[in-house]
Amino acid sequence: MLRGLYTAWTGMVNEQKRLDVISNNMANADTVGYKEDKVSSQAFEQVLGIKIRDGSQAYHNQAIGRLSLGVKIGEVYTSYDQGSLRETGGTFDVALSGKGFFTVSVTDRTGETHTRYTRNGQFMLTKEGLLVDADGNPIQGEGGDIYINPSARSVSISPDGMITADGQVIDTLRIVDFEDYDYLKKYGNTMYEPVAGATQQEAEVEVIQGYTEQSNVQAVSEMVNLITITRAYEANQRVLRSFDSMLERSVNQVGRLQS
């Protein structure tokens, strides 16, 4: 009976984690360049139950059978499917159509600089002419930080990422891809950093100026998942209450001595 309590509890914990992931997806449904996270579930490894020798078994223990200890989170993974493209008309709004990432130089609180990657192409120009993202991190070109004359009348970005200002080539956006996205670690909502084992490869991608790539979260689908999770959580609650009620009766009624 106590095993039933534990199994119901693992189900509630599992649904709570799934709810956290889906809630974050829905909160970022309008975040440019966001890639939704998904969750898989799996059962705990089964264990072999043994009846300990208690007098009824004189010489050996008796195997009861294999028992499942409930459910747990298998893994949380990211879906890198292409998001829809939205036209903004912004000079420094850029979207990627295909597989690849913009390169960004990020300095953390300790002053250490990291090279990270993103699909969020909402860029802007500082008063010094540095091309940065919404958080002020420098966007990287083939030559490093990208500087564009703020007084330039016409700035164009070609499908291969070449930046031209008033007819003069400035730099080319550094766009990279990776063989296996399982070797990317997520930072925040739209940043990624490779871990040991990641292998870069040439990006097969088209750069589209004046557009941004929207989140790939399907709000309707996530709402359906949210309802399913809520019902599963409530079902586990009812199981937990049922076992609690049976335990109460066992202790307070069945086990009560008749006077």
Side-chain angles (χ1 to χ4, degrees):
M1 187 176 293
L2 292 177
R3 187 171 66 251
L5 286 172
Y6 180 79
T7 300
W9 173 78
T10 62
M12 294 173 66
V13 171
N14 183 75
E15 298 305 326
Q16 180 63 57
K17 178 60 177 178
R18 293 180 62 202
L19 179 63
D20 292 342
V21 172
I22 289 181
S23 297
N24 185 63
N25 286 339
M26 295 183 66
N28 288 281
D30 294 326
T31 300
V32 174
Y34 178 80
K35 300 300 180 184
E36 70 171 334
D37 291 325
K38 295 186 177 182
V39 184
S40 65
S41 301
Q42 68 181 51
F44 283 100
E45 293 184 2
Q46 292 186 339
V47 297
L48 181 63
I50 300 293
K51 181 179 180 182
I52 300 176
R53 186 173 60 184
D54 58 0
S56 62
Q57 296 294 124
Y59 301 105
H60 61 278
N61 295 336
Q62 178 183 3
I64 300 174
R66 294 198 171 274
L67 308 174
S68 174
L69 298 180
V71 67
K72 64 178 178 178
I73 292 295
E75 63 174 338
V76 178
Y77 61 97
T78 301
S79 169
Y80 293 93
D81 293 340
Q82 175 84 44
S84 61
L85 303 184
R86 182 172 67 89
E87 184 176 6
T88 65
T91 302
F92 300 108
D93 284 340
V94 187
L96 296 178
S97 178
K99 299 180 64 178
F101 299 87
F102 298 110
T103 305
V104 185
S105 178
V106 180
T107 302
D108 60 22
R109 296 179 180 178
T110 64
E112 186 176 355
T113 301
H114 303 265
T115 299
R116 291 178 180 163
Y117 304 90
T118 184
R119 295 279 296 194
N120 185 348
Q122 282 186 314
F123 304 148
M124 61 188 69
L125 211 59
T126 66
K127 61 181 180 180
E128 293 82 13
L130 178 63
L131 188 65
V132 298
D133 65 7
D135 296 321
N137 301 306
I139 306 303
Q140 298 298 288
E142 296 298 339
D145 294 348
I146 301 174
Y147 285 90
I148 302 173
N149 188 348
S151 61
R153 296 182 179 180
S154 174
V155 177
S156 63
I157 303 176
S158 67
D160 62 357
M162 181 179 293
I163 303 173
T164 305
D166 292 338
Q168 180 181 358
V169 176
I170 303 299
D171 203 341
T172 300
L173 290 169
R174 185 184 175 200
I175 303 172
V176 302
D177 194 16
F178 297 88
E179 288 185 1
D180 190 344
Y181 290 168
D182 288 340
Y183 290 95
L184 294 181
K185 182 179 180 180
K186 200 170 189 176
Y187 283 86
N189 291 319
T190 60
M191 287 281 188
Y192 304 89
E193 185 172 323
V195 298
T199 303
Q200 285 191 16
Q201 65 180 13
E202 185 177 351
E204 297 180 2
V205 68
E206 179 183 1
V207 180
I208 306 176
Q209 185 180 18
Y211 285 77
T212 56
E213 181 186 3
Q214 301 306 108
S215 167
N216 65 351
V217 174
Q218 300 294 328
V220 175
S221 176
E222 293 298 85
M223 282 296 297
V224 172
N225 290 335
L226 186 62
I227 294 171
T228 302
I229 288 172
T230 302
R231 290 178 177 174
Y233 189 89
E234 292 173 348
N236 280 290
Q237 274 187 319
R238 289 194 293 271
V239 171
L240 200 64
R241 289 171 182 169
S242 296
F243 275 106
D244 182 63
S245 177
M246 285 188 288
L247 282 172
E248 182 183 5
R249 292 182 181 181
S250 298
V251 173
N252 296 329
Q253 296 180 19
V254 178
R256 182 183 300 170
L257 295 177
Q258 298 294 330
S259 57

